[in-house]
Amino acid sequence: MAVMPEWWGGRDLRGMLPHIFFEHFRGTSLIAEHEDRLLGFLVGFFCPDHADEAYIHFVGVDPSWRRVGLGGDLYRRFFALARAEGRSVVRAVTGPVNTGSIAFHTALGFSILPGDAEVDGLPVTADPGPQGDSVVHFELVLGGEGGA
Amino acid sequence: MAVMPEWWGGRDLRGMLPHIFFEHFRGTSLIAEHEDRLLGFLVGFFCPDHADEAYIHFVGVDPSWRRVGLGGDLYRRFFALARAEGRSVVRAVTGPVNTGSIAFHTALGFSILPGDAEVDGLPVTADPGPQGDSVVHFELVLGGEGGA
């Protein structure tokens, strides 16, 4: 909570992480630390409704530790957790404006799923959640990971 | 999403229900309908970190259908789902100002768990989530339900 405004350039995305994630989803969440300093985190879960799927809900990396592969490393460790639990597909979403996130997911081997509309040439679907914006859906079939 | 501002008297709590709940937690979420009209809903999950626990995250009832037992009915149906899945404990939280919610949970058989501070005589713990407020923790051991 404390690092979020700084890591997201002043945007307050703390609402993405209600307390339940800290209490009930630790087993599928990861942190990266260096000398007791938090450098990055990944919050995910194994989808209860879809026995083959794991979902990456939210990921952050300290701005001064970006572009060294920390995000990719967190993702790959989550892939390993998912595979060990018999999950074969990992999903995530982002907004169509997040071109950096789209490049990151594509480099890791994620495909962009078909949507019901298009924004800037990207297939999107309406987000049923509170933001109400359209989102790009990513899917990675485990075994097809890239090296980003 | 559409009913939430009205059901909560203009408070915007839509942030409590990010899209993941609509996509991945349907199996532990319930709706009450009458002639195709939504009257109430309960969003819960089986805690992945605690094999014996189920958690009720968010519940709403149409203001014109309150005080007829719909909330209690949704809770009891969730208890049955939890029991069928081998969960023995149901948890929930609320804010210490929500005296109606506290009375409701107590009548259903929930206990208030010890906290690390007190607000209005109620044991509370600091909410690690974005609201940052203190919350009251409820626990119900299945088999000890009341009839509210």
Side-chain angles (χ1 to χ4, degrees):
Chain A
M1 285 300 121
V3 302
M4 287 183 75
E6 185 202 331
W7 288 17
W8 273 269
R11 290 173 69 202
D12 188 357
L13 296 181
R14 293 177 297 170
M16 291 289 287
L17 289 177
H19 66 90
I20 52 171
F21 289 107
F22 298 92
E23 291 171 15
H24 300 295
F25 295 88
R26 293 180 184 214
T28 49
S29 298
L30 301 162
I31 58 170
E33 286 180 313
H34 179 63
E35 292 172 356
D36 291 334
R37 183 174 155 204
L38 180 73
L39 303 184
F41 64 87
L42 180 156
V43 176
F45 55 84
F46 302 143
C47 308
D49 285 354
H50 313 107
D52 58 333
E53 284 183 27
Y55 186 83
I56 296 177
H57 173 56
F58 208 66
V59 180
V61 173
D62 185 323
S64 62
W65 283 74
R66 287 184 190 162
R67 310 197 176 279
V68 296
L70 210 48
D73 190 44
L74 287 166
Y75 267 65
R76 275 187 295 272
R77 285 168 193 253
F78 183 80
F79 298 161
L81 285 179
R83 204 184 290 109
E85 196 69 18
R87 305 280 162 159
S88 57
V89 171
V90 178
R91 286 175 182 255
V93 307
T94 197
V97 298
N98 294 332
T99 52
S101 171
I102 292 163
F104 169 80
H105 284 88
T106 305
L108 274 171
F110 281 88
S111 311
I112 295 177
L113 294 178
D116 52 26
E118 242 184 50
V119 172
D120 297 336
L122 290 163
V124 296
T125 47
D127 180 347
Q131 286 82 26
D133 300 324
S134 293
V135 290
V136 175
H137 282 260
F138 300 111
E139 179 180 284
L140 177 118
V141 178
L142 289 173
E145 303 93 305
Chain B
M1 285 299 120
V3 303
M4 286 183 74
E6 186 202 330
W7 287 18
W8 274 267
R11 288 174 69 202
D12 188 358
L13 296 180
R14 292 177 297 169
M16 292 288 288
L17 290 176
H19 66 90
I20 53 171
F21 289 107
F22 299 91
E23 291 171 14
H24 299 295
F25 295 87
R26 294 180 183 213
T28 50
S29 299
L30 301 162
I31 57 170
E33 287 180 312
H34 179 64
E35 293 174 354
D36 291 334
R37 182 175 156 203
L38 180 74
L39 303 184
F41 65 87
L42 179 156
V43 176
F45 55 84
F46 301 143
C47 307
D49 286 354
H50 314 107
D52 58 332
E53 284 182 27
Y55 186 83
I56 295 177
H57 172 56
F58 207 68
V59 180
V61 173
D62 185 324
S64 60
W65 283 76
R66 286 182 192 161
R67 308 194 177 280
V68 295
L70 210 48
D73 190 44
L74 287 166
Y75 268 65
R76 277 188 293 272
R77 286 167 193 253
F78 182 79
F79 298 161
L81 285 178
R83 204 184 290 109
E85 196 68 19
R87 306 279 162 159
S88 57
V89 172
V90 178
R91 287 175 180 256
V93 307
T94 197
V97 298
N98 294 332
T99 51
S101 171
I102 291 163
F104 170 79
H105 284 87
T106 305
L108 274 172
F110 282 89
S111 311
I112 296 177
L113 295 178
D116 52 25
E118 241 184 53
V119 172
D120 297 335
L122 290 163
V124 297
T125 48
D127 180 348
Q131 287 83 25
D133 300 324
S134 292
V135 290
V136 176
H137 282 259
F138 300 112
E139 179 181 281
L140 177 117
V141 178
L142 289 173
E145 302 91 304

